[in-house]
Amino acid sequence: MLNIALFGPPGAGKGTQSESLIKEYNLFYISTGDLLRKEIKDQTRLGKEAQSIIASGGLVSDEIIVQIIEKTITDNPNANGFLFDGFPRTYIQAYILEGLMIKLNTSLNCLISLEVPEEESVARLLKRGETSGRTDDNERVIRNRLKEYNDKTLPVLNFYKDKGLYNEVDGAQSIESVREQIQHIVKNELSKRLLNIVLFGYPGSGRGSQGRAIAKKYGLEYVATGPMLGEEIAKKSETGKQIQELYNNGQLIPDEIVVQLIEKKLENSKGVKGFIFKGFPRTLVQSYILDGLLKKHGSSLSKIIEIEVPTLELIKRLDERSKTEECMPYDSSTAKIVQRLQDHENKTVPVIEKYNELHGVVKISGMGSFEEVFERISFEIENGFKNLK
Ligand code: AMP
């Protein structure tokens, strides 16, 4: 999720700037002012309570705000992220926002403060008042709104300065210049995050070769359980010896071992831009493990991609591979190939379905040349955060 708060006095241009941000990153827009005006229009209990306060330019109580905002946030757990306009406006609301974000397993990524001199705000709001139809866009109420902003809202910035989330933009510039500066801040924020990709697909769909190439292109660490187990055996580590013994007895490698290896990989991979996982998670249990491991490292999944190839084509490819030097021990007979395809269907397809419900899985065709498939995957990765739930 990408969660942003746009901060600034009335008339700073928060609403105007919100429009392009919402479009660019497909964010769910929450303006407490709009929500309150809707309550008033519908003459709800909360609307009736808020009406006279808004008319005078005062701040509505935190009690009312928490009620209108909680439902909107918790009703949209699958949003790409939230853009808050006019919230938080008090110190208490900053804590409320923290709590609500935790409820969704996420956090505020940055606060962007549009700084505008008081007289400029007044002039803009008076101009807006000519057409907005808002009764609070008149000079007496505007002055009171700005006083409330200075007294109660400005101090909230300290809360975010202490957390290192505060970004300042000179809001007196042209709409376009402000927009560019905001974009710069958000892009910088996004670049700090790890890009974590899971690459799904049946054996023979090209996950391995595509995964390695994608890792190289985007500076990601390629995490594939098969080779990792092989490395341990080659190192003759204690774990390697255990793995060898399990292999010798034809037994499956238990999750405890796989988890340890992946955890070590996450810890030892400093300075990478993210991870691309191939062949993991293979089971529902492993999908929970991956979510937990990433969370422990302050990260989460960014994109899940499935390479789709028709079954007959898979069999053809695996059969062809079995006749080359690249033949894996598990591709050496038709019975083994069919067994692997069945294993994928029984154990991994439910994982893909679960991820599809939770985050959305992007399906791409694995047919065509290596370059064509590579282009398709690259396109999805670069396709911003629009498809990311
Ligand atoms: P806005 O549309 O953001 O300018 O808000 C209009 C009016 O709604 C404000 O002057 C306040 O009276 C009220 N309001 C909006 N958001 C909040 C909030 N987060 N806390 C308290 N009052 C708010």
Side-chain angles (χ1 to χ4, degrees), residues 76-95:
N76 292 284
N78 291 331
N80 260 358
F82 294 99
L83 178 64
F84 298 100
D85 167 351
F87 174 83
R89 256 174 156 106
T90 62
Y91 234 84
I92 301 293
Q93 290 180 19
Y95 283 100

Side-chain angles (χ1 to χ4, degrees), residues 32-61 64-65 68 133-138 140-141 144-145:
T32 39
D34 285 353
L35 290 174
L36 287 167
R37 281 184 286 276
K38 167 130 197 342
E39 297 283 331
I40 293 173
K41 191 164 154 265
D42 297 345
Q43 279 296 295
T44 63
R45 178 182 56 81
L46 292 176
K48 284 182 192 154
E49 270 183 61
Q51 194 157 16
S52 59
I53 305 167
I54 293 182
S56 70
L59 284 189
V60 172
S61 71
I64 293 183
I65 295 297
I68 60 162
R134 277 177 57 168
T135 48
D136 59 350
D137 282 346
N138 72 70
R140 187 183 51 81
V141 179
N144 199 31
R145 284 159 70 194

